[in-house]
Amino acid sequence: MESNVVKRVHELALTSSKRCVAIDATIGNGYDTLFLREHFEKVIGIDIQPLAIKRSKEKLKDYDNVEIYLDDFNNIKNYKYANVIIFNLGFLPGSNRKVKTQDYTSDVAILNAYQILDGIMLVACYVKHEGGYDEYLRLCDSLNKANINYEIEDNFLNKEILIIIKRTA
């Protein structure tokens, strides 16, 4: 079942005036990528976990506008350009909960993603798991230090927090 924060992420992704490239920076089980491939010319999905890549490749094998890479989201600048970038912070559902985004410096990845953004970046923060709220605070601190404007939506039933960042290149 799709969560309210995921529904909102998808809604906001469609506000991008350009629909060339979307990046799902934390592909997980592939649901955001599956959504994005309907609306963007090219979709790139990346994840550091082989299980996420395996699950997503199976789900997305019939679509020719999707590229999936086993890669660290801190390397997002290598993908050069995106109109929409989505991050779902936390852990891969149905896997080892000890492997989570904060262990891979999500604030650095998001600052790197900002450099290639020409549109909207959506960062879903799941703050109820151990370390999730600290990750959210660290991310906001990094955005503030970098003088990057952002909006926050935090009215979701499961206490998720959505960070919305817009940039036009």
Side-chain angles (χ1 to χ4, degrees):
M1 183 175 148
E2 188 177 51
S3 75
N4 288 335
V5 73
V6 170
K7 286 180 187 174
R8 183 66 177 142
V9 164
H10 292 177
E11 229 174 70
L12 289 169
L14 296 180
T15 66
S16 176
S17 61
K18 297 176 187 170
R19 302 271 178 97
C20 298
V21 179
I23 297 177
D24 184 351
T26 50
I27 199 170
N29 289 317
Y31 293 109
D32 288 332
T33 306
L34 193 60
F35 169 80
L36 292 167
R37 62 107 190 133
E38 293 178 35
H39 304 282
F40 290 82
E41 292 174 31
K42 178 179 176 181
V43 180
I44 297 167
I46 59 176
D47 207 294
I48 199 166
Q49 295 191 68
L51 178 60
I53 297 302
K54 180 182 179 211
R55 289 176 179 171
S56 298
K57 278 187 174 179
E58 190 160 305
K59 192 174 284 128
L60 296 155
K61 68 180 183 254
D62 297 327
Y63 304 104
D64 60 2
N65 67 329
V66 177
E67 298 174 9
I68 299 174
Y69 300 99
L70 179 64
D71 199 357
D72 186 325
F73 61 14
N74 282 301
N75 296 327
I76 197 165
K77 285 192 297 188
N78 294 341
Y79 299 95
K80 310 246 187 285
Y81 171 84
N83 303 116
V84 169
I85 302 173
I86 296 176
F87 285 85
N88 281 291
L89 303 184
F91 54 86
L92 174 63
S95 72
N96 181 352
R97 289 179 172 230
K98 291 182 180 178
V99 179
K100 22 183 207 226
T101 53
Q102 73 176 11
D103 298 331
Y104 297 96
T105 57
S106 55
D107 58 333
V108 173
I110 290 162
L111 293 175
N112 287 340
Y114 184 77
Q115 295 177 37
I116 65 166
L117 181 65
D118 183 16
I120 188 167
M121 182 171 10
L122 304 153
V123 184
C125 303
Y126 298 89
V127 297
K128 288 172 66 174
H129 70 274
E130 183 180 337
Y133 191 70
D134 291 335
E135 181 178 32
Y136 160 73
L137 292 176
R138 184 174 64 228
L139 174 54
C140 289
D141 186 51
S142 294
L143 291 170
N144 290 332
K145 285 179 181 171
N147 292 314
I148 295 173
N149 292 325
Y150 61 94
E151 300 170 40
I152 291 178
E153 291 185 10
D154 60 1
N155 55 340
F156 302 101
L157 291 177
N158 291 323
K159 306 287 186 234
E160 300 100 340
I161 299 172
L162 179 59
I163 298 175
I164 303 159
I165 303 167
K166 296 176 183 174
R167 178 174 186 245
T168 307

